[in-house]
Amino acid sequence: MKMTDLATREEWAALEREFHERFGMNPRVYDETGAGITDERLWSNPLCPALRATPGGVGAVCSVANAALTAQAAREGRTVIDACDAGLVVITVPVIVDGALIGIVGGCGRLPADGEVESFLVSKASGLGEDEVEGLATRVPVMSRADVEAAAAFLEGKVADILARAGAAV
């Protein structure tokens, strides 16, 4: 089974838009290979698109976090809330059917209330100047732990609804 067997690309894109509107995070739905289901990108801050625009930023920060948290969510069979190496919140909700991971639904791009952007690391990984990174970092919105947990619960509920509607065996 594939993510597009559970819902259409348009339905996944609508979920991404709703999540972004409600929680102000960078939403993303990935298939089992780690490829995005939709072509849409919704940003919560100016730092993330600047970081992702560089090969080093994508490879050293975004892809590493996605792969590690997807593996953890699949292994544990539950949602994982953590931070990427840039210091931003990442929520990873596994989509598991018949005991197999077929994709993830998640969000990222907000700063935990007690955190800070790792400007030096982001600068070194991306090649962006540290002053530029620090400037962009000032525009990353903060998110309370309660709001992070509410965002995760929202995604979990949406995934459960989609699985139930599709009649998929979890």
Side-chain angles (χ1 to χ4, degrees), residues 5 8 12 30 37 48 52 55 65-66 82-83 98 110 115-116 128 155 162 164:
D5 295 331
T8 65
W12 288 120
Y30 294 101
I37 298 292
C48 291
R52 287 192 64 87
N66 187 43
D82 208 335
D98 292 327
R110 303 259 327 246
E116 65 181 60
L128 298 169
L155 289 176
I162 289 167

Side-chain angles (χ1 to χ4, degrees), residues 13-122:
L15 170 59
E16 288 178 341
R17 284 190 301 277
E18 182 180 3
F19 180 71
H20 178 71
E21 289 166 11
R22 286 185 71 167
F23 299 99
M25 297 183 81
N26 306 327
R28 204 68 173 132
V29 177
Y30 294 101
D31 67 16
E32 76 283 358
T33 69
I37 298 292
T38 71
D39 294 328
E40 203 167 341
R41 290 309 305 222
L42 302 168
W43 300 111
S44 65
N45 68 68
L47 177 63
C48 291
L51 177 64
R52 287 192 64 87
T54 68
V58 156
V61 179
C62 304
S63 296
V64 170
N66 187 43
L69 297 177
T70 296
Q72 181 181 351
R75 188 174 56 253
E76 296 175 1
R78 65 172 182 81
T79 298
V80 175
I81 299 171
D82 208 335
C84 69
D85 286 342
L88 307 181
V89 171
V90 180
I91 300 169
T92 305
V93 178
V95 181
I96 299 172
V97 176
D98 292 327
L101 179 79
I102 65 164
I104 64 160
V105 177
C108 62
R110 303 259 327 246
L111 194 60
D114 61 348
E116 65 181 60
V117 172
E118 298 294 337
S119 299
F120 179 77
L121 183 139
V122 171

